[in-house]
Amino acid sequence: MLQKLGQLFGVSVAAGVLVAALVAPVLGGIGITARNVATGFLNMPSELETPPPPQRSIIYDAEGGVIAEVYDQNRELVELDQIAPIMQEAIIAIEDSRFYEHGGLDIMGTFRAALRTIAGRTQGGSSITQQYVKNVLIESATSQAEQEEARETTLGRKVRELRYAIALEQRMSKDEILEGYLNIAYFGDGAYGAESAAQHFFSVSASELTLSQAATLAGLVRYPELYNPRLNPDQAQERRDVVLDRMVDTGVITAEEAEKAKAEELELDITTPSNGCVPSKQPFFCDYVIQEIEKSEQFGENETERARWLRTAGLEIHTTLDPDMQKAGQKAVDKWVPRENEARKVAAQVFLEPGTGAIRVMAQSRNYGPDESKIGETSINFTANADRGGSTGFQAGSTFKAITLAAALDKGLPYSTSFSSGSTITITGQKACNGGNLAPWTVSNSSESGGSATHNMVSGTKGSVNTYFAQLQKRVGLCDVIKMAENLGVTRADGQDYDNPRTQGNNSFTLGSEEVSPLNVAGAYATFASRGIYCKPMAITKIVDRQSGQTIELEPECERRLDQDVADGVNYLLQQTFKGGTASGLGIGRPVAGKTGTTDNSASAWFAGYTPNLAGAVFVGDPRGPNQYPLRNVTLAGRYYPVVYGATIPGPIWRDTMVEAVKKLDAKSFARSPARFGSTSEPAPPRREDDDTDANPAAHRGGVPNVVGMSQGEAVAAIESAGYRANVSDLRLPSDQPEGAVAVVEPGAGSRLPEGSVVNVFLSRGSDGGGGGLPDSGWDLPGFDNRWGLF
């Protein structure tokens, strides 16, 4: 210890003499002695923090694949033994040949550099330790003023650096200083540190550098842009040869080795790691992860601080994205809604893991970029809320009916809760959340539907009957339905609370007239799948901070939001949509539940569906304004659509994604329907006054025959033989049945109807046909008898 203090004092005295000699011409006859200067120099602040310099942060998917790299400086820190010895020797030879001999002060080099500084010219000559100090001061500056102070070309800066350097030599070994310098130095062309420079210019690691390559890199640190081998190859080669000659002078290599290296071409192999989300294959999820870090207070006091941490701390950010599921999801949205479609429509979807909230898929049919006017390009993540880089949301249509079901069951209403649900009704006496009466509300299923029908929760859900759900909302109470939406995590995408006069008096809340994001809809449906456990959607599982050596583990944020029986009841009802309802033809070969959604005038279309272990929501619409640019008379992927429904494009996107995604998951079944909600039967059809049931043979012969799989002629004959009339729809559905065979009948097989009732027949267009399922309620199908109120 005494020996080190002695060395420190000796070097300080030498430095003091040097500084006194330098400042004498400036101070004139003030009479400052070398001893006084040395004493003052020794009393200067000397403790210098040497934190790791800024380095790249990397975002990983759930299986360790790289999603993106994010950085202010392209730097990868390595230990000294990971840098080729020839690289270490080259940098010492050209920058500080007496590095291992001096105590941080190269007297002659510093004296020469200081004289040049006084004369108004910058000059190298600082020791490697002094250069390291300068770089540390620059990189650790937290303000513009500190940056300027660290870079100023003044004698005062040289003196400060020298004082820090001398003190640094007392607490760090030479190898530690050299390692720090080789990691912090700038080598030009955006490459910081020897490892990144080796990878950038030669596509090798620093441990694999040859003599010629090492000399080239060592020559860069003095004037990185002047000697940039990519931009100025001749100057770079001349500089490399200077370094080689210097290595001969210091005895590191022989003259013969130097001449051989000089004969080599530079042979650059330029590679630059991608920076940010634009070049990522999962750009919108990448953006969501960055937004999660920058907007979350748990990662720093303010957004500026969090952004700096993200881009400088060398974070390893581990996420929930499943690469195989994501690939399937991206393929599906691109297939059905191509990115650069002339109609400018977009498809966006999110898949979550019930019970954790882990985001497994986040995809949309757009290229990631800042030019919103360019077809197929956007920086808006249409799957997310506005505060996470998303849009202000889109009306979700009939997907909200599941929320009303949950509210109704939560109030204890049974499946048998029935209403006469004609094609058009007017709802009166509905209460707003403030207790006042809402204005009368006229709601329709189909403008040409004939007759009326009585529906309960089973048939109303199966057919997505608007007039049924309007009455169910009135029975439950609008305010309770709104509270259920909040309970399930379905908030407005623009961040506005539902506690506002417009929403509190929104008659059509149950029909999905609030603007929401696919992420929140998927979260609500995942709550049903997990039998009432709501989990906040999560994208990040772990952050390893390589700069501080700390690891942040993020756990799922879950809590019970629904009674288990209520969730099971919703699951039962939403399974029926695949059994002759609006989701017919969208099955995946294992238990599924879900709901289509189409808004007024087909402004936007949705599908939300799930298995017990995976839930997803799909949106299709026009970001320019769904109401101004509805999903009517559009051509997508070479196919013309007069009208797009929830089951036409969103449903097939969900199905195609889910079919591939569940291959990694165990097949699970939903729980049985809770007995507390009563019978699961659909209501009997209305009886005409002149209908004598006892004399009606069709009502007793087993009802509608099972004609699925038959040809059109066979099916019509069987239906007519049963005493009914067959109506063959022009709408063909994708199904496992051969093209042209019967895919679905509605009402379903076994339904007992009055003699002469119409049975609607849907033919198959094969398993790879366009569209799927039946349209939501409220839409006109030419030639279709809607007396059952199914649409």
Side-chain angles (χ1 to χ4, degrees):
M1 183 65 181
L2 289 176
Q3 183 179 11
K4 280 202 168 187
L5 288 173
Q7 290 175 346
L8 174 60
F9 184 77
V11 173
S12 299
V13 170
V17 172
L18 173 63
V19 172
L22 291 173
V23 301
V26 180
L27 298 178
I30 293 179
I32 297 178
T33 65
R35 180 184 299 276
N36 290 336
V37 173
T39 302
F41 181 80
L42 192 61
N43 290 331
M44 287 177 63
S46 62
E47 287 301 315
L48 177 67
E49 294 292 330
T50 56
Q55 56 182 311
R56 298 195 301 263
S57 291
I58 304 175
I59 303 173
Y60 297 97
D61 63 32
E63 294 185 358
V66 175
I67 291 175
E69 295 182 87
V70 185
Y71 55 87
D72 284 340
Q73 296 181 0
N74 172 24
R75 176 186 283 110
E76 183 176 345
L77 301 184
V78 293
E79 295 181 358
L80 189 61
D81 61 8
Q82 294 175 283
I83 300 174
I86 197 65
M87 179 65 205
Q88 301 176 39
E89 292 164 346
I91 203 75
I92 291 172
I94 194 64
E95 290 298 319
D96 185 2
S97 60
R98 291 182 293 277
F99 172 66
Y100 279 101
E101 299 169 12
H102 62 65
L105 171 63
D106 182 353
I107 299 291
M108 296 308 298
T110 301
F111 191 78
R112 182 174 61 251
L115 286 176
R116 291 292 185 95
T117 299
I118 292 172
R121 303 191 301 275
T122 58
Q123 167 71 38
S126 298
S127 69
I128 282 177
T129 308
Q130 288 172 268
Q131 293 182 55
Y132 176 52
V133 167
K134 177 183 177 181
N135 280 297
V136 168
L137 291 172
I138 292 173
E139 297 298 353
S140 60
T142 58
S143 67
Q144 185 65 30
E146 289 181 3
Q147 282 265 350
E148 292 174 357
E149 184 180 12
R151 295 178 186 275
E152 63 184 4
T153 55
T154 64
L155 182 59
R157 192 209 81 199
K158 285 283 186 182
V159 173
R160 286 195 304 273
E161 288 176 3
L162 180 57
R163 180 67 185 94
Y164 282 130
I166 292 172
L168 205 62
E169 291 265 0
Q170 305 306 308
R171 65 182 179 86
M172 292 178 67
S173 70
K174 288 288 188 178
D175 283 353
E176 288 173 335
I177 294 171
L178 181 60
E179 177 183 301
Y181 176 71
L182 285 170
N183 275 306
I184 203 171
Y186 180 53
F187 288 84
D189 221 29
Y192 291 80
E195 177 66 21
S196 292
Q199 293 176 2
H200 173 66
F201 289 112
F202 302 111
S203 294
V204 299
S205 68
S207 63
E208 301 170 323
L209 288 166
T210 65
L211 171 58
S212 176
Q213 292 170 340
T216 301
L217 295 184
L220 298 179
V221 294
R222 183 66 58 84
Y223 298 113
E225 302 311 322
L226 175 63
Y227 299 131
N228 185 325
R230 180 177 65 83
L231 301 176
N232 306 307
D234 292 339
Q235 292 93 324
Q237 189 160 326
E238 291 176 7
R239 177 65 174 170
R240 177 201 65 182
D241 294 348
V242 169
V243 175
L244 291 170
D245 289 340
R246 183 59 182 156
M247 294 176 75
V248 173
D249 293 342
T250 59
V252 174
I253 60 174
T254 65
E256 290 77 15
E257 289 172 322
E259 291 305 312
K260 183 178 179 181
K262 289 179 183 180
E264 297 179 15
E265 299 292 332
L266 291 179
E267 296 183 354
L268 301 180
D269 186 2
I270 302 293
T271 56
T272 302
S274 60
N275 186 9
C277 299
V278 173
S280 173
K281 291 183 179 180
Q282 300 87 24
F284 295 100
F285 181 76
C286 167
D287 182 76
Y288 185 82
V289 169
I290 289 175
Q291 296 279 342
E292 279 284 275
I293 292 174
E294 292 184 349
K295 301 292 177 62
S296 178
E297 294 182 358
Q298 72 180 111
F299 300 122
E301 292 184 1
N302 56 65
E303 192 165 340
T304 299
E305 180 181 307
R306 296 188 288 265
R308 177 180 173 81
W309 179 64
L310 169 64
R311 290 164 177 79
T312 63
L315 307 178
E316 293 178 1
I317 305 165
H318 298 269
T319 72
T320 60
L321 196 76
D322 185 286
D324 297 323
M325 295 183 186
Q326 174 69 14
K327 182 178 179 180
Q330 190 64 57
K331 181 180 178 181
V333 295
D334 288 342
K335 170 187 173 183
W336 290 92
V337 184
R339 300 188 190 193
E340 298 179 6
N341 67 83
E342 292 295 330
R344 295 179 179 263
K345 306 308 181 215
V346 66
Q349 67 171 336
V350 175
F351 275 63
L352 305 177
E353 181 180 76
T356 67
I359 300 172
R360 298 305 189 194
V361 175
M362 181 175 277
Q364 64 185 39
S365 58
R366 281 289 190 271
N367 298 316
Y368 186 85
D371 190 353
E372 301 293 337
S373 66
K374 186 176 180 180
I375 294 179
E377 184 171 307
T378 185
S379 59
I380 299 173
N381 182 356
F382 295 113
T383 68
N385 288 351
D387 68 346
R388 290 297 185 269
S391 72
T392 55
F394 304 91
Q395 293 183 351
S398 293
T399 61
F400 261 44
K401 290 174 181 173
I403 298 171
T404 307
L405 291 174
L409 296 176
D410 191 54
K411 277 208 163 186
L413 297 180
Y415 296 145
S416 60
T417 302
S418 301
F419 303 102
S420 178
S421 307
S423 58
T424 300
I425 63 172
T426 298
I427 304 294
T428 59
Q430 189 170 196
K431 297 291 186 180
C433 291
N434 62 9
N437 289 325
L438 296 179
W441 173 37
T442 299
V443 58
S444 300
N445 296 323
S446 170
S447 60
E448 294 183 354
S449 60
S452 61
T454 296
H455 285 285
N456 62 14
M457 285 191 200
V458 180
S459 63
T461 302
K462 191 173 182 179
S464 191
V465 184
N466 288 347
T467 54
Y468 175 81
F469 278 92
Q471 295 175 88
L472 185 61
Q473 176 181 264
K474 177 181 176 182
R475 173 74 63 84
V476 174
L478 169 62
C479 200
D480 286 335
V481 176
I482 292 174
K483 288 178 180 177
M484 179 57 70
E486 293 175 326
N487 195 43
L488 295 171
V490 184
T491 60
R492 287 183 55 85
D494 61 6
Q496 183 182 17
D497 194 90
Y498 285 142
D499 187 13
N500 67 81
R502 191 192 66 80
T503 301
Q504 299 286 305
N506 183 2
N507 262 322
S508 58
F509 189 89
T510 185
L511 302 186
S513 55
E514 296 287 327
E515 288 81 8
V516 297
S517 69
L519 184 62
N520 281 0
V521 174
Y525 278 67
T527 305
F528 301 142
S530 60
R531 306 183 73 187
I533 303 297
Y534 169 80
C535 297
K536 180 182 177 182
M538 65 178 295
I540 304 169
T541 59
K542 180 173 66 174
I543 298 178
V544 179
D545 186 339
R546 288 178 288 174
Q547 195 173 77
S548 68
Q550 296 180 336
T551 297
I552 303 172
E553 300 277 357
L554 287 90
E555 299 295 332
E557 297 180 35
C558 302
E559 63 176 319
R560 177 165 293 283
R561 295 282 183 88
L562 276 184
D563 180 83
Q564 184 171 290
D565 278 356
V566 171
D568 288 343
V570 174
N571 293 337
Y572 172 77
L573 293 169
L574 294 185
Q575 289 177 75
Q576 307 315 305
T577 65
F578 290 86
K579 302 173 182 179
T582 59
S584 293
L586 296 175
I588 62 170
R590 62 171 69 186
V592 287
K595 186 71 194 69
T596 51
T598 311
T599 62
D600 283 348
N601 195 35
S602 207
S604 59
W606 291 69
F607 189 88
Y610 54 98
T611 67
N613 45 14
L614 191 63
V618 183
F619 157 79
V620 175
D622 197 314
R624 296 173 296 174
N627 290 311
Q628 294 84 358
Y629 302 93
L631 295 168
R632 287 180 173 269
N633 301 312
V634 297
T635 298
L636 296 169
R639 184 177 297 139
Y640 172 74
Y641 298 91
V643 181
V644 174
Y645 304 106
T648 310
I649 295 179
I653 290 174
W654 175 88
R655 177 197 60 204
D656 291 355
T657 304
M658 188 67 84
V659 164
E660 294 299 317
V662 297
K663 290 179 178 178
K664 305 181 75 169
L665 305 174
D666 294 334
K668 293 185 177 181
S669 298
F670 292 102
R672 295 173 64 103
S673 174
R676 63 183 273 200
F677 298 125
S679 172
T680 59
S681 299
E682 298 181 42
R687 180 177 177 179
R688 298 194 306 264
E689 292 182 4
D690 61 348
D691 179 24
D692 184 353
T693 302
D694 292 335
N696 185 343
H700 293 278
R701 287 202 298 253
V704 176
N706 185 0
V707 297
V708 173
M710 293 183 182
S711 67
Q712 178 178 332
E714 292 172 335
V716 170
I719 290 170
E720 291 179 348
S721 295
Y724 307 121
R725 291 186 296 121
N727 176 69
V728 181
S729 174
D730 292 334
L731 178 66
R732 293 203 172 195
L733 308 179
S735 76
D736 296 333
Q737 301 302 327
E739 184 175 358
V742 176
V744 175
V745 292
E746 185 60 43
S751 299
R752 296 190 175 189
L753 314 177
E755 186 174 6
S757 295
V758 173
V759 174
N760 299 295
V761 178
F762 296 86
L763 302 180
S764 170
R765 64 185 302 163
S767 60
D768 60 345
L774 308 181
D776 294 323
S777 75
W779 300 109
D780 303 335
L781 294 176
F784 194 90
D785 187 318
N786 192 42
R787 69 180 58 190
W788 285 85
L790 295 170
F791 308 103

